[in-house]
Amino acid sequence: MSILDLNAYELIQQENLSDLKSKGYLFKHKKSGARILLMENDDDNKVFAIGFRTPPSDSTGVPHIMEHSVLCGSRDFPVKDPFVELVKGSLNTFLNAMTYPDKTIYPIASCNDKDFQNLMHVYMDAVLYPNIYEHEEIFRQEGWSYKLDSEEDKLGYNGVVYNEMKGAFSSPEGVLDRMVLNSLFPDTSYANESGGDPDVIPELTYEQFLDFHRKYYHPSNSYIYLYGDMDMEEKLKWLDREYLSKFDKIEVDSEIRYQEPFDAVKEIEMEYSISSEEPEEDNTYLSYNKVIGTSLDEKLYLAFQILDYALLSAPGAPLKKALVDAGIGKDIMGSYDNGILQPIFSVIAKNANLEQKEDFLVVIENTLKNLVENGIDKKALEAGINYHEFRFREADFGSYPKGLMYGLQLFDSWLYAEDKPFIHMQAIPTFEFLKAQVGTGYFEELIQKYLLDNTHASVVIVKPEKGRTARLDKELDDKLQNYKAGLNDEEVKKLVRDTKALIEYQEEEDSKEDMEKIPVLRREDISKETAPIYNEEKDVDGTKMVYHDVDTNGIGYLTLMFDLSCVPEEKLAYAGLLQAVLGLIDTTNYEYGELFNEINVHTGGIGTSLELYADVTKVKEKDFRATFEIKGKALYPKMDVLFKMMREILMESRLDDEKRLKEILSMLKSRLQMSFLSSGHTTAALRALSYDSPLAKFKDDVDGIGYYEAVKEIEEHFEEKKGELIANLKELAAKLFRADNMMVSYTASEDGLEPAYEGIRELTKSLHEEPVGEETPCIIHCHKRNEGFKTSSKVQYVARVGNFIDHGAEYNGALQILKVILSYDYLWQNIRVKGGAYGCMSSFNRLGEGYFISYRDPNLEKTIEVYEGIVDYLKNFTVDERDMTKYVIGTISNIDRPMNPSAKGDRSMSLYMNHVTEEMIKKERMEILGAQQEDIRRLADVVAAVLEAGQLCVIGGEEKIEEQKTLFKEVKTLF
């Protein structure tokens, strides 16, 4: 990069980031004061982000509401929702915005140069020149507003962020996280809720909202990040010419203040809501929280990640084990949050009781003292270091671009010290330092200093209160109706007019001229090529191996797959339990904690899962295959250890350890409850599909509500059920883990093949023998139940599903476009924009399964009515070629995600197991690329077929479910 040509910028720092194969540059824009950081490398998945320091001065949620609102139209793109228009018509690999306790970040990513430039333009314009000053309706839609449809109606609140945070505050974990942060930093902005407290959000005025933008959304307070393979000089010149040069430097006081340490530990109690049928006993959260230095100490930043692993997060870790052994809580969790100025280390006991508080603290203190005196297990520290270093080197962030994750991590230092942006990007020397400290007393000294002697701490207790949601709802309702009663006739009429005006604003169509200002790629910009499939069948002495030849940087990704078709329906929950237990229980040669450490010292980790694969060539027969899978990854020279440890887990696990089984069941029940509250939309969709789909019923029985009900029953009646549980686990293990029941999926380059062959040959010699006698195939029975599940939440997750192939329709690639159209047009407009829900989605697959779901939705019946309206919407679907192209491009964007090596192998194996051929994928792609208005209109029949099935499942607030219980065949409490 030619630094000399960049006269508008001052180069502050230049770093060779060899660990990340990048060159780093830190600039300051001379005129505006904007900070710019570049990471130049050969990654074609380019990332841009602009962030601002946004410390909240209260809990009205103004940073969060602003994050939503600036994406609702701007100077160059004056349409109501350019963000949604972009999602429809961009090849982005990431497009979102995030509010944190102290910053707001707007990141985008794309592999397409033209698309990347378009996204940069829309985002820069959005944050610096938003339409919030012209349209108060944006604030009222995204933040909060009074809702009064007629003078006779009850007055209410609505707003996307308001409803989102009602959902967030319905979860006890959400309440706890907020209270921990607030309790430790009472004199700083961290004392406030940046996302917004639903009780406080309606205190925010439009003028205060605009003032927040005027103050913080200025280049002088901005942090701009560019990553990847691009012409950096050209991007910097564009930023200067189009945006930054238009601003003069100003002083913005956005400093994140340092909280002076406490002289004594603080204690706080807070209530959270449970439903009227949930017990208060064993439902309290106890938490012990300490502030750990600052995130600007790169050694401490990583050292406490290692300590979190060694003390708490790893199975069998001493703090976790001591609390479980003492019977304090049924699920011990912990966290180390180093994404704020002063990081927090927390120990949490879930499903505990208030009277256990003193014991909780004594057990923690005594365990820590003992570790300081006698030393931490060296193997645990080595495992923690290897675990984190392996992940750093592998840079596998799933579907998230690695450039995005690096950018977010840069903020962990850059936000608080302008001269230290790169300290967490150069982690390998820090890992080497930490390895050298094992056994020297270094880690023990950290425990003494930061956990035992440190009084900058809080004990936060979150305890259950029955009927709290109903009580608070009534108090709010009384407050609103009293407010309405105090208004004169003209003021009431104004509220009705304002409500109607907001709806009119939402329904008003953007002009064609404005819509055409949003940049769109052309269909010709999209490749007709599909991603390659890497499947090669190999026979390893009678064992089938499907090999995926991918360059993996020396790592072998191994999956052993055992067929589950021998498991009868009534025992499916035990298959789920076997999957949950293995790896977390003692084996012949290791205690479970030692086992986990042994695995992580030598490999990149081992995990188990149950997977389902449907034969897409036999959808009418509903044919599918289920597998028990154990997955692991290791460097090629360590593949022998990976196989050895997999064998240890499969063949040597002590499945009769009653004490440990009970602990795992308690933890499992707790984790399932947490996942249902955070992912209620997918849980409800799976449950509704299970009424008619054997595949979905199987999945629900091993991982959904059906599974939870079985886990709860065994956990609550453990003494009577334990014999049956142990017998079933042992029987299943003997049935499943046989050489004749196994196939292997392996992703590596050719030089990684030989270690895999050797491992397979050794492993098959020591698996179980073939069973004697006939095996009966698993037959799944489905029942249409249409359930309403009551929780203490203030929001709903509404799922309407059905199989369109069963009702005479066919699968077509255009259904993938329909997902985009519904999720960002019809459902978005009616459920999110007008209905105030946080999210809405739809899906259609080759098996004929279709669903419509809402997320954190204040409505129920109204949402079902919206689903019913989709058929008419599609029959009258009218769109010009430009908009149709947008939908096509948005669809391809969802399909053409960049994949890391393991994802390439996983995708290839999934296609192999589902019998999806390259021809099918190409046909689907051409159906998408060639789709026109008429193709979408024809899909009205598919939606009609989904709705005709009449399958409904809702997880939601008990008052709302009871109020509309005539919609359901069964109403029950979820927990």
Side-chain angles (χ1 to χ4, degrees):
M1 189 167 64
S2 163
I3 308 293
L4 297 174
D5 292 347
L6 298 169
N7 296 327
Y9 298 88
E10 178 190 355
L11 178 66
I12 310 286
Q13 240 175 287
Q14 194 170 335
E15 293 282 341
N16 181 21
L17 305 172
S18 54
D19 297 348
L20 307 179
K21 301 185 176 72
S22 300
K23 285 193 176 126
Y25 302 91
L26 178 66
F27 290 98
K28 192 88 169 221
H29 186 258
K30 293 173 185 171
K31 186 169 186 288
S32 69
R35 309 159 188 83
I36 294 102
L37 190 148
L38 315 180
M39 277 177 69
E40 205 171 34
N41 50 52
D42 62 2
D43 191 343
D44 69 345
N45 195 1
K46 297 170 279 294
V47 178
F48 161 80
I50 179 164
F52 301 91
R53 270 202 308 222
T54 50
S57 57
D58 55 35
S59 292
T60 57
V62 61
H64 188 187
I65 297 167
M66 188 61 68
E67 175 233 305
H68 282 239
S69 299
V70 299
L71 297 172
C72 294
S74 65
R75 179 192 66 182
D76 288 359
F77 309 105
V79 300
K80 289 205 296 290
D81 226 330
F83 173 74
V84 169
E85 295 307 315
L86 277 178
V87 175
K88 289 178 197 169
S90 150
L91 289 171
N92 74 83
T93 55
F94 188 86
L95 184 73
N96 213 330
M98 301 94 130
T99 304
Y100 294 89
D102 52 18
K103 59 186 171 281
T104 310
I105 304 177
Y106 299 85
I108 58 101
S110 180
C111 298
N112 181 290
D113 292 340
K114 191 170 154 191
D115 186 45
F116 183 73
Q117 183 58 48
N118 292 345
L119 294 170
M120 271 183 71
H121 186 181
V122 174
Y123 264 44
M124 282 301 291
D125 209 65
V127 296
L128 295 177
Y129 299 108
N131 274 356
I132 56 173
Y133 296 94
E134 284 78 46
H135 295 288
E136 186 179 345
E137 294 92 341
I138 295 171
F139 166 70
R140 295 177 58 224
Q141 171 182 292
E142 298 298 321
W144 77 276
S145 62
Y146 286 115
K147 187 175 189 310
L148 190 63
D149 293 319
S150 72
E151 291 172 48
E152 299 73 42
D153 281 344
K154 281 189 157 190
L155 182 64
Y157 288 134
N158 205 5
V160 173
V161 168
Y162 176 74
N163 288 320
E164 179 191 345
M165 296 312 291
K166 267 170 64 176
F169 274 49
S170 294
S171 128
E173 289 80 21
V175 174
L176 177 66
D177 288 349
R178 172 197 172 213
M179 293 307 299
V180 168
L181 188 68
N182 301 166
S183 69
L184 291 168
F185 308 105
D187 308 319
T188 77
S189 59
Y190 294 132
N192 303 309
E193 175 52 56
S194 65
D197 179 336
D199 292 339
V200 186
I201 288 171
E203 292 173 14
L204 181 66
T205 68
Y206 177 52
E207 201 47 47
Q208 289 168 328
F209 166 76
L210 296 180
D211 283 343
F212 188 86
H213 185 271
R214 290 182 189 111
K215 178 172 180 180
Y216 292 119
Y217 279 63
H218 187 284
S220 296
N221 188 44
S222 72
Y223 297 78
I224 296 170
Y225 168 70
L226 282 161
Y227 165 97
D229 182 6
M230 68 185 94
D231 184 340
M232 291 288 188
E233 188 181 331
E234 180 259 319
K235 294 289 178 249
L236 289 175
K237 285 181 173 176
W238 178 85
L239 281 166
D240 169 58
R241 184 177 67 248
E242 299 298 326
Y243 287 100
L244 301 181
S245 63
K246 312 288 193 283
F247 293 84
D248 291 317
K249 194 187 299 187
I250 60 167
E251 281 302 316
V252 181
D253 180 11
S254 63
E255 186 191 347
I256 310 305
R257 308 269 188 260
Y258 178 81
Q259 173 68 51
E260 289 301 324
F262 303 160
D263 295 330
V265 178
K266 295 206 166 179
E267 283 199 22
I268 292 182
E269 283 185 25
M270 178 80 182
E271 291 74 33
Y272 78 93
S273 223
I274 55 171
S275 71
S276 55
E277 293 172 41
E278 283 179 79
E280 291 186 347
E281 190 185 358
D282 293 343
N283 240 337
T284 292
Y285 289 70
L286 307 173
S287 75
Y288 163 101
N289 315 287
K290 299 265 177 164
V291 173
I292 311 296
T294 80
S295 58
L296 297 171
D297 182 333
E298 65 269 35
K299 292 186 174 69
L300 202 58
Y301 178 91
L302 273 183
F304 258 88
Q305 286 184 26
I306 312 308
L307 279 173
D308 173 47
Y309 172 98
L311 298 178
L312 201 56
S313 297
L319 264 183
K320 180 182 279 193
K321 194 167 187 307
L323 288 163
V324 168
D325 288 349
I328 298 165
K330 296 185 178 178
D331 186 8
I332 305 302
M333 302 178 295
S335 67
Y336 171 57
D337 177 6
N338 54 8
I340 54 176
L341 174 59
Q342 294 168 271
I344 304 170
F345 179 85
S346 295
V347 185
I348 299 157
K350 186 184 170 193
N351 300 123
N353 291 292
L354 186 58
E355 55 272 20
Q356 294 178 303
K357 182 193 77 175
E358 291 308 322
D359 292 344
F360 171 69
L361 298 175
V362 167
V363 169
I364 292 173
E365 299 275 330
N366 287 346
T367 306
L368 292 174
K369 282 176 187 166
N370 183 45
L371 289 166
V372 171
E373 281 171 32
N374 300 311
I376 307 167
D377 179 11
K378 286 185 186 176
K379 199 67 166 268
L381 290 171
E382 287 164 358
I385 293 168
N386 187 63
Y387 174 87
H388 285 287
E389 184 179 355
F390 194 101
R391 271 149 191 74
F392 179 79
R393 288 181 184 274
E394 185 188 25
D396 180 355
F397 301 104
S399 61
Y400 296 105
K402 64 183 177 186
L404 167 75
M405 303 311 285
Y406 293 151
L408 295 178
Q409 196 175 13
L410 281 162
F411 278 96
D412 291 352
S413 59
W414 191 22
L415 198 76
Y416 314 117
E418 288 183 39
D419 59 338
K420 290 187 172 182
F422 298 114
I423 58 172
H424 303 312
M425 298 293 104
Q426 294 157 315
I428 299 300
T430 309
F431 281 120
E432 293 305 321
F433 166 81
L434 292 172
K435 283 178 201 170
Q437 305 312 307
V438 175
T440 67
Y442 170 82
F443 287 98
E444 290 79 2
E445 283 168 24
L446 292 181
I447 292 176
Q448 186 69 48
K449 179 176 178 180
Y450 289 103
L451 299 181
L452 287 170
D453 298 341
N454 180 10
T455 51
H456 192 172
S458 70
V459 174
V460 176
I461 295 159
V462 177
K463 56 190 185 183
E465 182 190 330
K466 275 190 187 184
R468 178 178 171 81
T469 298
R471 176 173 66 75
L472 293 175
D473 282 353
K474 184 177 184 316
E475 284 173 14
L476 176 61
D477 188 50
D478 289 347
K479 177 183 162 184
L480 283 165
Q481 303 332 313
N482 288 337
Y483 171 74
K484 183 188 169 195
L487 300 174
N488 60 39
D489 287 353
E490 183 44 43
E491 287 167 328
V492 171
K493 285 187 172 109
K494 185 178 184 307
L495 286 177
V496 175
R497 284 199 304 274
D498 287 348
T499 302
K500 288 196 169 126
L502 179 57
I503 294 167
E504 282 164 14
Y505 169 78
Q506 291 166 336
E507 289 180 342
E508 187 188 337
E509 294 208 359
D510 291 303
S511 74
K512 193 169 189 307
E513 182 191 1
D514 284 343
M515 288 297 273
E516 287 178 356
K517 291 175 181 170
I518 302 253
V520 177
L521 298 175
R522 298 165 307 159
R523 294 197 198 205
E524 304 84 81
D525 293 324
I526 304 172
S527 165
K528 291 185 170 63
E529 294 302 308
T530 56
I533 300 172
Y534 309 89
N535 286 329
E536 192 183 329
E537 286 189 21
K538 293 186 177 288
D539 184 298
V540 187
D541 296 355
T543 297
K544 183 196 275 189
M545 176 168 107
V546 183
Y547 168 57
H548 320 291
D549 184 358
V550 178
D551 180 14
T552 58
N553 218 3
I555 299 170
Y557 295 93
L558 174 72
T559 306
L560 309 180
M561 308 167 73
F562 298 92
D563 197 317
L564 277 169
S565 56
C566 58
V567 183
E569 183 181 25
E570 65 275 11
K571 296 200 173 172
L572 286 179
Y574 292 107
L577 283 166
L578 182 65
Q579 181 268 319
V581 162
L582 291 184
L584 295 182
I585 202 159
D586 291 355
T587 66
T588 306
N589 300 301
Y590 299 92
E591 286 184 6
Y592 67 92
E594 295 171 344
L595 176 78
F596 198 76
N597 290 334
E598 186 70 21
I599 288 166
N600 283 310
V601 162
H602 297 290
T603 76
I606 294 174
T608 57
S609 66
L610 301 184
E611 302 295 340
L612 291 136
Y613 304 99
D615 184 343
V616 300
T617 64
K618 297 181 181 173
V619 289
K620 292 252 167 70
E621 298 88 333
K622 296 196 175 357
D623 205 6
F624 71 94
R625 188 172 175 191
T627 55
F628 184 109
E629 302 191 358
I630 182 164
K631 301 181 183 218
K633 54 193 173 186
L635 295 167
Y636 301 153
K638 294 279 191 176
M639 287 304 293
D640 59 332
V641 185
L642 186 68
F643 274 100
K644 176 173 167 261
M645 298 316 292
M646 284 184 166
R647 188 206 163 275
E648 183 76 20
I649 289 169
L650 295 173
M651 301 301 295
E652 305 292 342
S653 288
R654 297 202 27 226
L655 297 170
D656 53 2
D657 183 343
E658 294 177 11
K659 176 177 176 290
R660 185 62 187 146
L661 285 172
K662 188 163 193 320
E663 290 168 5
I664 293 171
L665 280 163
S666 298
M667 179 186 77
L668 201 51
K669 182 173 130 187
S670 152
R671 300 287 163 100
L672 285 165
Q673 288 175 348
M674 282 162 63
S675 85
F676 293 167
L677 285 175
S678 63
S679 308
H681 56 315
T682 49
T683 305
L686 175 65
R687 183 68 169 190
L689 285 165
S690 77
Y691 303 156
D692 187 52
S693 158
L695 184 144
K697 173 72 165 58
F698 190 110
K699 187 158 177 56
D700 188 71
D701 282 348
V702 298
D703 193 33
I705 290 174
Y707 178 54
Y708 169 75
E709 287 170 345
V711 168
K712 183 172 182 278
E713 176 69 15
I714 299 170
E715 195 259 351
E716 289 175 1
H717 303 94
F718 186 74
E719 288 308 312
E720 305 106 273
K721 305 267 182 187
K722 64 187 181 186
E724 187 186 352
L725 169 65
I726 290 165
N728 276 307
L729 292 177
K730 287 183 169 179
E731 182 195 335
L732 274 179
K735 253 186 184 179
L736 295 176
F737 305 140
R738 315 182 324 244
D740 67 309
N741 194 44
M742 179 180 85
M743 68 184 288
V744 177
S745 170
Y746 185 57
T747 305
S749 49
E750 276 198 28
D751 51 335
L753 268 175
E754 201 46 54
Y757 292 156
E758 286 173 27
I760 291 168
R761 289 185 189 112
E762 280 303 307
L763 178 70
T764 49
K765 290 177 197 167
S766 58
L767 292 174
H768 290 291
E769 299 291 316
E770 291 182 40
V772 181
E774 292 271 311
E775 290 198 342
T776 50
C778 178
I779 297 164
I780 306 288
H781 300 86
C782 299
H783 309 281
K784 185 170 170 184
R785 304 168 80 154
N786 285 18
E787 297 153 300
F789 288 100
K790 297 187 287 187
T791 70
S792 59
S793 179
K794 295 181 178 183
V795 288
Q796 282 61 247
Y797 303 94
V798 184
R800 184 76 187 268
V801 315
N803 189 301
F804 55 86
I805 290 175
D806 287 353
H807 291 81
E810 286 185 2
Y811 180 79
N812 181 287
L815 282 164
Q816 297 306 317
I817 304 175
L818 182 57
K819 266 174 28 178
V820 174
I821 292 171
L822 292 180
S823 297
Y824 292 108
D825 196 336
Y826 177 81
L827 292 179
W828 180 275
Q829 279 302 319
N830 290 289
I831 288 176
R832 189 186 187 280
V833 174
K834 294 184 202 168
Y838 184 47
C840 47
M841 286 140 264
S842 64
S843 181
F844 309 91
N845 65 25
R846 291 176 187 273
L847 309 181
E849 294 171 345
Y851 66 65
F852 312 107
I853 47 180
S854 66
Y855 183 80
R856 289 186 180 165
D857 186 349
N859 304 305
L860 200 172
E861 198 168 21
K862 197 185 287 182
T863 295
I864 296 168
E865 285 168 16
V866 171
Y867 297 157
E868 295 285 351
I870 299 172
V871 176
D872 280 345
Y873 165 76
L874 289 177
K875 282 179 180 171
N876 300 301
F877 181 75
T878 305
V879 70
D880 62 18
E881 173 52 29
R882 186 176 186 278
D883 280 343
M884 193 65 223
T885 296
K886 259 197 309 206
Y887 291 129
V888 167
I889 290 167
T891 304
I892 292 293
S893 165
N894 291 333
I895 294 169
D896 289 359
R897 295 278 163 182
M899 287 178 281
N900 54 44
S902 68
K904 288 175 183 174
D906 288 345
R907 170 183 176 266
S908 298
M909 193 64 195
S910 177
L911 295 173
Y912 177 88
M913 294 295 287
N914 288 309
H915 300 106
V916 176
T917 63
E918 196 162 356
E919 289 67 40
M920 289 179 192
I921 295 171
K922 283 185 170 159
K923 177 175 180 282
E924 179 186 68
R925 193 176 186 89
M926 295 320 290
E927 285 168 349
I928 293 167
L929 289 175
Q932 300 297 340
Q933 176 179 290
E934 278 312 307
D935 298 296
I936 304 302
R937 286 186 174 181
R938 278 194 285 272
L939 299 178
D941 293 343
V942 172
V943 172
V946 170
L947 294 170
E948 196 183 320
Q951 289 163 236
L952 171 72
C953 178
V954 178
I955 296 172
E958 56 184 329
E959 289 81 14
K960 186 73 87 172
I961 299 252
E962 280 294 337
E963 191 184 293
Q964 300 183 7
K965 64 182 178 190
T966 53
L967 294 168
F968 308 103
K969 286 188 174 183
E970 297 178 35
V971 168
K972 53 186 87 167
T973 301
L974 183 55
F975 302 139

Short mmCIF file of all heavy atoms in Angstrom, two decimals, residues 775-793:
data_model
loop_
_atom_site.label_atom_id
_atom_site.label_comp_id
_atom_site.label_asym_id
_atom_site.label_seq_id
_atom_site.Cartn_x
_atom_site.Cartn_y
_atom_site.Cartn_z
N GLU A 775 -33.05 -57.69 14.51
CA GLU A 775 -33.29 -56.33 15.03
C GLU A 775 -34.53 -55.77 14.36
O GLU A 775 -34.67 -55.83 13.15
CB GLU A 775 -32.08 -55.43 14.74
CG GLU A 775 -30.88 -55.82 15.57
CD GLU A 775 -29.85 -54.71 15.63
OE1 GLU A 775 -29.90 -53.81 14.78
OE2 GLU A 775 -29.00 -54.75 16.52
N THR A 776 -35.43 -55.21 15.18
CA THR A 776 -36.65 -54.63 14.59
C THR A 776 -36.39 -53.19 14.20
O THR A 776 -35.77 -52.44 14.96
CB THR A 776 -37.82 -54.68 15.60
OG1 THR A 776 -37.36 -54.14 16.83
CG2 THR A 776 -38.29 -56.10 15.83
N PRO A 777 -36.85 -52.78 13.00
CA PRO A 777 -36.62 -51.39 12.58
C PRO A 777 -37.42 -50.43 13.47
O PRO A 777 -38.47 -50.78 14.00
CB PRO A 777 -37.12 -51.37 11.14
CG PRO A 777 -38.07 -52.52 11.03
CD PRO A 777 -37.60 -53.55 12.00
N CYS A 778 -36.90 -49.23 13.60
CA CYS A 778 -37.55 -48.20 14.42
C CYS A 778 -38.75 -47.62 13.65
O CYS A 778 -38.59 -47.10 12.55
CB CYS A 778 -36.54 -47.10 14.73
SG CYS A 778 -37.20 -45.75 15.68
N ILE A 779 -39.93 -47.71 14.25
CA ILE A 779 -41.13 -47.14 13.62
C ILE A 779 -41.61 -45.98 14.48
O ILE A 779 -41.81 -46.11 15.69
CB ILE A 779 -42.25 -48.20 13.47
CG1 ILE A 779 -41.77 -49.32 12.53
CG2 ILE A 779 -43.53 -47.57 12.94
CD1 ILE A 779 -42.57 -50.58 12.60
N ILE A 780 -41.75 -44.81 13.86
CA ILE A 780 -42.12 -43.60 14.59
C ILE A 780 -43.62 -43.33 14.42
O ILE A 780 -44.14 -43.40 13.32
CB ILE A 780 -41.33 -42.38 14.04
CG1 ILE A 780 -39.82 -42.66 14.07
CG2 ILE A 780 -41.66 -41.12 14.82
CD1 ILE A 780 -39.19 -42.68 15.42
N HIS A 781 -44.28 -43.00 15.53
CA HIS A 781 -45.72 -42.69 15.50
C HIS A 781 -45.92 -41.19 15.76
O HIS A 781 -45.42 -40.67 16.75
CB HIS A 781 -46.46 -43.51 16.56
CG HIS A 781 -46.32 -44.99 16.37
ND1 HIS A 781 -45.25 -45.70 16.87
CD2 HIS A 781 -47.09 -45.87 15.69
CE1 HIS A 781 -45.38 -46.97 16.52
NE2 HIS A 781 -46.49 -47.11 15.81
N CYS A 782 -46.63 -40.53 14.87
CA CYS A 782 -46.87 -39.08 15.00
C CYS A 782 -48.33 -38.83 15.39
O CYS A 782 -49.23 -39.56 14.99
CB CYS A 782 -46.57 -38.37 13.68
SG CYS A 782 -44.85 -38.56 13.15
N HIS A 783 -48.54 -37.77 16.17
CA HIS A 783 -49.90 -37.38 16.58
C HIS A 783 -50.02 -35.87 16.45
O HIS A 783 -49.17 -35.13 16.95
CB HIS A 783 -50.18 -37.75 18.04
CG HIS A 783 -49.85 -39.17 18.35
ND1 HIS A 783 -50.67 -40.22 18.03
CD2 HIS A 783 -48.76 -39.72 18.96
CE1 HIS A 783 -50.11 -41.36 18.43
NE2 HIS A 783 -48.94 -41.08 18.98
N LYS A 784 -51.09 -35.42 15.83
CA LYS A 784 -51.33 -33.97 15.73
C LYS A 784 -51.86 -33.47 17.06
O LYS A 784 -52.90 -33.90 17.54
CB LYS A 784 -52.33 -33.67 14.61
CG LYS A 784 -52.51 -32.18 14.37
CD LYS A 784 -53.30 -31.94 13.12
CE LYS A 784 -53.70 -30.49 12.99
NZ LYS A 784 -54.54 -30.25 11.83
N ARG A 785 -51.11 -32.53 17.68
CA ARG A 785 -51.47 -32.11 19.04
C ARG A 785 -51.79 -30.62 19.16
O ARG A 785 -52.50 -30.22 20.06
CB ARG A 785 -50.31 -32.46 19.99
CG ARG A 785 -49.98 -33.95 19.92
CD ARG A 785 -48.66 -34.27 20.60
NE ARG A 785 -48.82 -34.35 22.03
CZ ARG A 785 -48.03 -35.07 22.81
NH1 ARG A 785 -47.04 -35.76 22.29
NH2 ARG A 785 -48.22 -35.09 24.10
N ASN A 786 -51.21 -29.79 18.30
CA ASN A 786 -51.44 -28.34 18.34
C ASN A 786 -51.41 -27.78 19.76
O ASN A 786 -52.43 -27.46 20.36
CB ASN A 786 -52.77 -28.00 17.65
CG ASN A 786 -52.62 -28.09 16.14
OD1 ASN A 786 -51.69 -28.70 15.64
ND2 ASN A 786 -53.52 -27.47 15.40
N GLU A 787 -50.19 -27.66 20.28
CA GLU A 787 -49.99 -27.32 21.69
C GLU A 787 -49.67 -25.86 21.91
O GLU A 787 -49.01 -25.21 21.09
CB GLU A 787 -48.83 -28.17 22.25
CG GLU A 787 -49.10 -29.66 22.23
CD GLU A 787 -47.83 -30.48 22.14
OE1 GLU A 787 -47.09 -30.31 21.15
OE2 GLU A 787 -47.58 -31.27 23.05
N GLY A 788 -50.12 -25.37 23.05
CA GLY A 788 -49.70 -24.07 23.56
C GLY A 788 -48.91 -24.31 24.83
O GLY A 788 -49.44 -24.87 25.79
N PHE A 789 -47.63 -23.95 24.83
CA PHE A 789 -46.78 -24.16 26.00
C PHE A 789 -46.63 -22.85 26.77
O PHE A 789 -46.13 -21.86 26.23
CB PHE A 789 -45.40 -24.67 25.57
CG PHE A 789 -45.42 -26.10 25.10
CD1 PHE A 789 -45.43 -26.38 23.74
CD2 PHE A 789 -45.43 -27.15 25.99
CE1 PHE A 789 -45.45 -27.70 23.28
CE2 PHE A 789 -45.45 -28.47 25.55
CZ PHE A 789 -45.46 -28.74 24.19
N LYS A 790 -47.04 -22.88 28.05
CA LYS A 790 -47.02 -21.66 28.86
C LYS A 790 -45.67 -21.49 29.55
O LYS A 790 -45.11 -22.44 30.09
CB LYS A 790 -48.12 -21.73 29.93
CG LYS A 790 -49.52 -21.79 29.36
CD LYS A 790 -50.59 -21.69 30.45
CE LYS A 790 -50.68 -22.96 31.27
NZ LYS A 790 -51.81 -22.94 32.21
N THR A 791 -45.15 -20.25 29.50
CA THR A 791 -43.93 -19.90 30.23
C THR A 791 -44.19 -18.58 30.96
O THR A 791 -45.27 -17.99 30.84
CB THR A 791 -42.73 -19.70 29.28
OG1 THR A 791 -42.94 -18.49 28.52
CG2 THR A 791 -42.55 -20.86 28.33
N SER A 792 -43.18 -18.11 31.67
CA SER A 792 -43.32 -16.83 32.38
C SER A 792 -42.94 -15.65 31.48
O SER A 792 -42.89 -14.52 31.93
CB SER A 792 -42.41 -16.83 33.61
OG SER A 792 -41.06 -17.02 33.19
N SER A 793 -42.69 -15.94 30.20
CA SER A 793 -42.23 -14.89 29.27
C SER A 793 -43.32 -13.87 28.99
O SER A 793 -44.51 -14.13 29.17
CB SER A 793 -41.78 -15.54 27.96
OG SER A 793 -41.36 -14.57 27.05
#
